[in-house]
């Protein structure tokens, strides 16, 4: 179970070793990527004064993505060290910024949990989104699809002439973007 009752974390700490299921990490209905089987969370939880919880460990998973250029599926490995600090959410803090607070002496990510339940699945989901690259490419040098015949230029070399770049007012602009893309 990835939902932890903070009040039940024993004084000596709690070891969590879990295989990840898409449902437990709240990826139902997520169509941008899949969680491949075999993902794991290994973590140690400690309860501090004031019911804070410190989570340290490692997240290992493989995410199934689709290449933004050639549209082929590919796998992104996620290997993430975790060092997160959770505080109970107080009623008067409702709606406040809760993302990242930098403590003076230490760069630490602070988050909040509700009631007594700390959902590590939610934490993992956030880690996935933080890890996902802006540009999802099967490989840096992916050559994408031919705009004329649609064939995958990683696999085949079609004979289509290059598209007329300057034929439309946007042609040169598009070229600019494509060059930047490479
Ligand atoms: Zn690709
Ligand atoms: Zn072609």
């Amino acid at each position: 179970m990835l939902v932890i009752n903070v009040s039940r974390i024993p004084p000596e700490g709690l070891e969590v070793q879990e295989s990840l299921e898409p449902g437990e990490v709240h990826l139902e209905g997520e169509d941008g990527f899949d969680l491949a089987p075999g993902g794991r969370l290994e973590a140690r939880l400690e309860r501090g004064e004031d019911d804070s919880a410190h989570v340290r460990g490692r997240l290992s998973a493989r995410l199934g993505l689709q290449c933004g250029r050639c549209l082929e599926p590919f796998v992104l490995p996620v290997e993430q060290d975790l060092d997160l600090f959770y505080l109970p959410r107080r009623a008067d803090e409702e709606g406040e910024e809760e993302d990242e607070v930098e403590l003076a002496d230490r760069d630490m990510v602070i988050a909040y949990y509700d009631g007594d339940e700390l959902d590590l699945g939610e934490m993992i989901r956030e880690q996935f989104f933080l890890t996902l690259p802006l540009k999802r490419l099967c490989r840096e040098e992916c050559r994408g699809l031919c705009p004329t015949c649609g064939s995958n230029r990683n696999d085949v070399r079609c004979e289509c002439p290059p598209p007329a770049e300057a034929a439309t007012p946007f042609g040169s602009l598009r070229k600019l973007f494509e060059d930047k893309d490479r």
Side-chain angles (χ1 to χ4, degrees):
M1 269 300 279
L2 291 173
V3 179
I4 307 293
N5 285 103
V6 175
S7 64
R8 288 192 216 144
I9 298 175
E12 68 273 18
L14 178 70
E15 299 287 340
V16 175
Q17 306 213 339
E18 289 284 333
S19 319
L20 306 182
E21 302 295 333
E24 279 196 316
V25 297
H26 309 293
L27 293 177
E28 316 93 329
E30 174 55 54
D31 51 11
F33 60 94
D34 305 313
L35 175 64
R40 277 188 78 69
L41 172 70
E42 301 195 2
R44 180 175 173 76
L45 276 70
E46 282 168 0
R47 178 156 55 104
E49 290 169 28
D50 204 17
D51 288 325
S52 64
H54 192 180
V55 181
R56 272 172 296 184
R58 191 165 178 81
L59 173 65
S60 312
R62 288 150 47 88
L63 302 182
L65 300 172
Q66 187 188 41
C67 177
R69 264 186 218 156
C70 70
L71 309 182
E72 292 294 321
F74 70 101
V75 167
L76 177 77
V78 177
E79 294 288 339
Q80 184 75 41
D81 286 321
L82 304 170
D83 190 350
L84 300 147
F85 200 69
Y86 282 84
L87 298 173
R89 193 195 306 276
R90 310 269 179 226
D92 57 348
E93 282 164 349
E94 207 72 53
E96 262 182 41
E97 265 312 299
E98 59 164 281
D99 279 334
E100 288 178 23
V101 180
E102 281 180 19
L103 295 186
D105 56 337
R106 205 164 165 190
D107 241 5
M108 206 182 224
V109 178
I110 301 206
Y112 293 90
Y113 66 89
D114 290 297
D116 187 38
E117 289 190 344
L118 171 52
D119 186 350
L120 295 176
E122 187 58 45
M123 180 271 291
I124 290 166
R125 179 176 190 275
E126 282 170 17
Q127 294 294 321
F128 286 159
F129 278 99
L130 291 173
T131 308
L132 285 174
L134 224 49
K135 203 178 286 180
R136 301 177 182 183
L137 297 180
C138 63
R139 61 195 117 156
E140 195 53 51
E141 65 279 13
C142 172
R143 296 159 75 182
L145 301 177
C146 169
T148 307
C149 71
S151 59
N152 184 341
R153 292 190 287 197
N154 299 309
D155 302 333
V156 292
R157 191 170 289 269
C158 60
E159 300 296 325
C160 301
E165 299 285 1
T168 72
F170 300 108
S172 51
L173 191 64
R174 183 185 331 126
K175 186 165 181 345
L176 196 71
F177 278 116
E178 281 178 358
D179 287 347
K180 212 170 122 203
D181 214 42
R182 258 156 217 163

